Amino acid sequence: MTDAAAGHEEAERTWCLAEVDIFCDLSEQEMEAIAAAAPMKTYHAGEILYSPTQPSEVLFILKKGRVRVFRVSADGRALTTAIVSPGTIFGEMVLLGQHMYDNYAEALDDTVVCVMSRTDVHRLLLADARIAARITAILGRRLADLEQRLSDSVFKTVAQRIATTLTTLTSAQPPAGPLRPVGRHPQIALTHEELAALAGTSRETCTKVLRDYADRGLLRLARGRITVLDPERLKDVAG
């Protein structure tokens, strides 16, 4: 391998970790050490990153795309336990107090992750008090989100759950910038079937609710894409 090729490969590995929240104040040398232990993997939308039939004790660092973590009941119904956005972590890692158990992890978009083994997580992440504290905070927020989702599944109507899911996905999008002007309406790249799975309902019911929201001027619907025209009103509908 030439020096230029080696430099490009090193830059690609470091790129995978750039802008990830838990690494925000690491030195270049610290970033390079972590990047060397966390190879990148790419998954296409709809691919499964993790399943109970193929368990592996690894930590995923999400660089690009969104990942849905869900479990399936005995009667085949799916409950989404988390929607993971770029810049954070997920995975089966007992030493973090984090368990996937019977959960699946599915790429909602074309996704890029960096993957770390148990040994490297302990050596490079948990040994650093700054990173360990941030990981603890992330897992705490995720537990609170799961409790809210479970509460929503019991107390909210289907229409409210769909509005809540859309609001969550909208808020998880990156902030406005040169490539995403402030005035642009948030767009969510999901089919009605995918959104129904996230909200815990049928595709038919989801389509009916979305059409109602579109008639009320909250959304604009297109094939495989939902444009949120009025995020504040949608948030009010979500309750």
Side-chain angles (χ1 to χ4, degrees):
M1 182 182 293
T2 66
D3 291 343
H8 177 72
E9 183 177 340
E10 181 65 36
E12 283 288 299
R13 288 203 300 264
T14 305
W15 169 85
C16 188
L17 303 178
E19 299 179 6
V20 173
D21 293 348
I22 61 174
F23 305 131
C24 64
D25 56 0
L26 268 60
S27 69
E28 183 176 347
Q29 291 77 15
E30 290 170 323
M31 287 285 285
E32 289 175 355
I34 294 172
M40 287 190 300
K41 293 190 69 174
T42 300
Y43 295 86
H44 296 298
E47 281 195 84
I48 298 296
L49 287 72
Y50 180 96
S51 74
T53 59
Q54 295 180 317
S56 57
E57 190 166 310
V58 296
L59 185 72
F60 295 98
I61 305 167
L62 182 57
K63 171 60 186 180
K64 176 185 176 185
R66 297 165 300 165
V67 170
R68 170 197 179 205
V69 180
F70 66 98
R71 62 185 61 166
V72 179
S73 65
D75 62 2
R77 289 182 301 143
L79 171 67
T80 298
T81 59
I83 299 172
V84 186
S85 55
T88 188
I89 60 172
F90 65 99
E92 174 68 34
M93 193 61 62
V94 175
L95 56 87
L96 295 182
Q98 181 177 219
H99 306 277
M100 294 286 280
Y101 291 127
D102 56 349
N103 284 343
Y104 296 77
E106 175 192 20
L108 290 176
D109 316 295
D110 288 346
T111 296
V112 176
V113 295
C114 297
V115 186
M116 293 191 76
S117 69
R118 174 192 179 105
T119 300
D120 287 330
V121 167
H122 195 281
R123 177 172 64 92
L124 295 170
L125 304 190
L126 297 187
D128 188 311
R130 299 166 298 173
I131 300 176
R134 290 167 191 153
I135 289 174
T136 299
I138 287 171
L139 299 182
R141 290 196 301 269
R142 196 159 295 155
L143 178 59
D145 289 343
L146 173 57
E147 291 175 347
Q148 184 61 55
R149 284 182 178 277
L150 293 173
S151 176
D152 288 349
S153 69
V154 174
F155 297 111
K156 285 191 174 182
T157 66
V158 171
Q160 286 177 313
R161 294 205 304 272
I162 291 172
T164 298
T165 302
L166 291 171
T167 298
T168 300
L169 292 170
T170 300
S171 63
Q173 292 189 357
L179 300 180
R180 185 172 179 270
V182 174
R184 180 181 172 186
H185 295 300
Q187 291 188 335
I188 299 167
L190 287 177
T191 65
H192 293 191
E193 186 171 359
E194 290 168 337
L195 179 60
L198 293 177
T201 187
S202 68
R203 182 187 61 78
E204 293 79 8
T205 300
C206 182
T207 295
K208 182 179 179 181
V209 171
L210 288 175
R211 286 174 178 166
D212 175 61
Y213 288 163
D215 290 342
R216 294 161 60 182
L218 302 177
L219 310 171
R220 183 169 62 244
L221 303 177
R223 186 176 182 83
R225 190 171 297 277
I226 300 166
T227 302
V228 179
L229 301 177
D230 196 332
E232 289 305 315
R233 281 177 62 203
L234 188 66
K235 187 175 181 180
D236 289 341
V237 170

